[in-house]
C-alpha cells in the first residue's frame, strides 16, 4: 500500500524531466535584477558597517559639526539622480559635476566619505561602493548624534554620470511655494508631504551659511532692509547680529538650542516661527506638514519622530539605486574607474559567451532526449 501511494505521489517521468530542464534553464539565464537589502555585505565584507561606524565615531569626536554636512550630502545625492554617489564625483575638463553646481556650493562632507572609503578599500578592495559608504556614514551621523539606529539596505553601486545641469530640475525653483515642493517630492521622488516634513527634521543638526538666510533678514520680498514678517522678531535680531549684510561665509546653527543632537527641538523652533530657512517656515503653510510640525513640537517623546524618520530615510535611500550589473564599485569616490584593459574585456565576454553556449547546448540535449 505504501509503495503504491509513493508511486501515485511521484510525478510522471516526463514531468520530472521537464521540471529538471526548466530548473537548469533558469540557472543558465542572466540573474534577475538585484535590489538593495539589509546586510548586503555580510558575506563579501562582513566588517563593512563596523568600519564605517568606527570611523564616523572618531571623526565626530573631533568635529561634531560634520554630522549635519554628511547627512545633507546623502540627501542631495539621492534627490539628484538617485542614491548612486554621483555627488561625490569631481568635475573634469569636459564636464562640470553636480558638486560644482551653484546650488550645491554649500554642500560639504566629502572628505569624510573619502576617509571612510579608504579604510573600506584597505579591508575589502573593490567591494563596498562609494554610494553605500555615503549612505552608511549618513545613517551613522543620525545614530551618533543620539538619533535612531536605522537598519539600512545596502548593495548600491556607483553611477558615473554627474552633470551640474541636472541639479536645478531636481531642486525647488527660486520662489517655490510649499505646494511646489510637495509636488516635486511626489512627482519626481514618489515621496509624500509627510516624508517632506519628516526629512526636514534632519535640520535638527547642522549649520547653514549666512548667504542662505540673509534674504529673510535684509531683502525680503525684494525690499531693501525688509525682514521676513513671519520670522520671530527676537530671532531676527539675533540672526542679524550673526549675519551682517553681504556675509556669505559665516555659519549659523539650524537648531541653536541643541545643534549637535538629533531631537525634536527643530519642530519646536519651526512652530514658534524660528525656523532658520525659508523651506522650514514653509512647512507651516500646508495643512499636512503643519500638522506634523505641531504634533512633534508638542510630543512628550521623540519616539514617533524617530520611527517616522527611519522609515522616510530608508524610502529616500532607495531612490534611483544602481544594483547588479548597473554601475560600478569606484576605487576612489571622486573619479570613475579607469577603463579595464581591452584584453580583460574580451576575455570576460568570451567566457560569458562560452558559458551561455554550453548552457544552451545542455538544454538542447536534454530537450531532444525528452522528445525521444
Amino acid at each position: 500500500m505504501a509503495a503504491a501511494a509513493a508511486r501515485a505521489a511521484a510525478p510522471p517521468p516526463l514531468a520530472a524531466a521537464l521540471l529538471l530542464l526548466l530548473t537548469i534553464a533558469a540557472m543558465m539565464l542572466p540573474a534577475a535584477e538585484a535590489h538593495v537589502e539589509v546586510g548586503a555585505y555580510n558575506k563579501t565584507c562582513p566588517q563593512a558597517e563596523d568600519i564605517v561606524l568606527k570611523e564616523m565615531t572618531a571623526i565626530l569626536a573631533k568635529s561634531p559639526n560634520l554630522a549635519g554636512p554628511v547627512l545633507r550630502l546623502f540627501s542631495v545625492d539621492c534627490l539628484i539622480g538617485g542614491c548612486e554617489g554621483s555627488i561625490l564625483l569631481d568635475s573634469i575638463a569636459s564636464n562640470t559635476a553636480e558638486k560644482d553646481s551653484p546650488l550645491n556650493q554649500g554642500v560639504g562632507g566629502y572628505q569624510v566619505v573619502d576617509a571612510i572609503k579608504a579604510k573600506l578599500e584597505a579591508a575589502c578592495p573593490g567591494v563596498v561602493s562609494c554610494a553605500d559608504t555615503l549612505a552608511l556614514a549618513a545613517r551613522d551621523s543620525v545614530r551618533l548624534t543620539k538619533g535612531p539606529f536605522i537598519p539600512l539596505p545596502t548593495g548600491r553601486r556607483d553611477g558615473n554620470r554627474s552633470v551640474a545641469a541636472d541639479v536645478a530640475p531636481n531642486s525647488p525653483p527660486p520662489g517655490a511655494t510649499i505646494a511646489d515642493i510637495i509636488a516635486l517630492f511626489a512627482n519626481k521622488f514618489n515621496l509624500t508631504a509627510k516624508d517632506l516634513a519628516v526629512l526636514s527634521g534632519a535640520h535638527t543638526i547642522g549649520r547653514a551659511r549666512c548667504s542662505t538666510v540673509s534674504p529673510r533678514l535684509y531683502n525680503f520680498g525684494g525690499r531693501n532692509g525688509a525682514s521676513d514678517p513671519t520670522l520671530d522678531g527676537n530671532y531676527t535680531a539675533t540672526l542679524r547680529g550673526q549675519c551682517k549684510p553681504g556675509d556669505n561665509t559665516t555659519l549659523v546653527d539650524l537648531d541653536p538650542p541643541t545643534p549637535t543632537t538629533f531631537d525634536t527641538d527643530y519642530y519646536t523652533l519651526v512652530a514658534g516661527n524660528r525656523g532658520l530657512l525659508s523651506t522650514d517656515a514653509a512647512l507651516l503653510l500646508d495643512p499636512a506638514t503643519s500638522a506634523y510640525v505641531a504634533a512633534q513640537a508638542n510630543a512628550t517623546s521623540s519616539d514617533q519622530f524617530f520611527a517616522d524618520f527611519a522609515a522616510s530615510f530608508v524610502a529616500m535611500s532607495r531612490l534611483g539605486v544602481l544594483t547588479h550589473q548597473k554601475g560600478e564599485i569606484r576605487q576612489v569616490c571622486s573619479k570613475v574607474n579607469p577603463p579595464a584593459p581591452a584584453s580583460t574585456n574580451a576575455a570576460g565576454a568570451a567566457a560569458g559567451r562560452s558559458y551561455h553556449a554550453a548552457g544552451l547546448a545542455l538544454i538542447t540535449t536534454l530537450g531532444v532526449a525528452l522528445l525521444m
Side-chain angles (χ1 to χ4, degrees):
M1 293 290 291
R7 286 193 298 273
L14 180 58
L18 283 171
L19 178 61
L20 175 62
L21 175 60
L22 291 172
T23 301
I24 296 173
M27 292 171 61
M28 294 299 173
L29 293 174
E33 188 66 24
H35 298 284
V36 291
E37 60 181 352
V38 174
Y41 297 111
N42 284 353
K43 293 183 179 179
T44 55
C45 188
Q47 67 272 47
E49 296 195 23
D50 289 336
I51 290 173
V52 176
L53 178 60
K54 179 181 178 181
E55 293 305 309
M56 282 301 298
T57 301
I59 289 167
L60 295 186
K62 293 180 180 178
S63 304
N65 284 318
L66 282 174
V70 171
L71 185 54
R72 183 186 177 197
L73 182 61
F74 179 58
S75 66
V76 171
D77 184 47
C78 291
L79 299 178
I80 304 173
C83 310
E84 31 73 272
S86 58
I87 188 66
L88 306 173
L89 287 169
D90 284 343
S91 295
I92 57 176
S94 59
N95 176 66
T96 302
E98 292 171 17
K99 65 167 59 172
D100 291 322
S101 163
L103 293 175
N104 284 337
Q105 291 306 295
V107 177
Y110 300 103
Q111 75 278 21
V112 173
V113 181
D114 290 340
I116 298 173
K117 173 64 172 175
K119 295 289 186 179
L120 290 167
E121 282 296 301
C124 308
V127 175
V128 182
S129 67
C130 294
D132 273 342
T133 303
L134 173 55
L136 291 169
R139 184 271 300 273
D140 288 341
S141 290
V142 174
R143 177 184 187 180
L144 293 170
T145 51
K146 300 183 180 180
F149 170 72
I150 303 172
L152 186 67
T154 50
R156 299 166 188 79
R157 291 171 67 85
D158 299 320
N160 56 15
R161 173 187 169 85
S162 183
V163 180
D166 291 343
V167 177
N170 292 285
S171 305
T177 65
I178 185 63
D180 295 329
I181 299 172
I182 290 173
L184 178 71
F185 263 56
N187 298 333
K188 280 191 173 289
F189 313 127
N190 198 31
L191 296 174
T192 66
K194 179 182 177 181
D195 288 319
L196 172 60
V198 171
L199 293 171
S200 294
H203 291 173
T204 186
I205 58 175
R207 298 180 291 181
R209 294 183 185 275
C210 282
S211 57
T212 305
V213 69
S214 285
R216 299 188 73 194
L217 304 177
Y218 301 108
N219 192 39
F220 187 75
R223 302 189 307 275
N224 188 38
S227 63
D228 185 346
T230 67
L231 191 62
D232 176 82
N234 291 331
Y235 191 38
T236 298
T238 298
L239 289 173
R240 281 182 165 180
Q242 295 175 297
C243 298
K244 302 302 181 183
D247 181 353
N248 296 321
T249 57
T250 300
L251 296 171
V252 291
D253 293 324
L254 289 162
D255 179 357
T258 55
T260 58
T261 302
F262 199 94
D263 55 25
T264 58
D265 279 358
Y266 164 79
Y267 294 106
T268 302
L269 293 171
V270 173
N273 295 312
R274 287 173 286 150
L276 181 67
L277 306 179
S278 58
T279 52
D280 298 329
L283 295 177
L284 298 177
L285 302 178
D286 174 80
T289 55
S290 179
Y292 191 83
V293 169
Q296 298 312 314
N298 294 304
T300 56
S301 90
S302 57
D303 291 351
Q304 187 62 57
F305 169 52
F306 282 7
D308 291 341
F309 189 85
S312 293
F313 185 87
V314 169
M316 181 181 72
S317 81
R318 295 180 181 274
L319 295 175
V321 296
L322 301 178
T323 57
H324 198 47
Q325 297 304 314
K326 295 182 179 179
E328 63 181 10
I329 305 297
R330 275 188 235 136
Q331 299 167 7
V332 177
C333 292
S334 60
K335 58 184 179 182
V336 298
N337 293 339
S343 58
T344 302
N345 288 336
R353 288 193 297 270
S354 176
Y355 178 78
H356 184 64
L360 289 176
L362 177 58
I363 293 170
T364 301
T365 301
L366 286 172
V368 171
L370 289 172
L371 294 173
M372 294 179 64

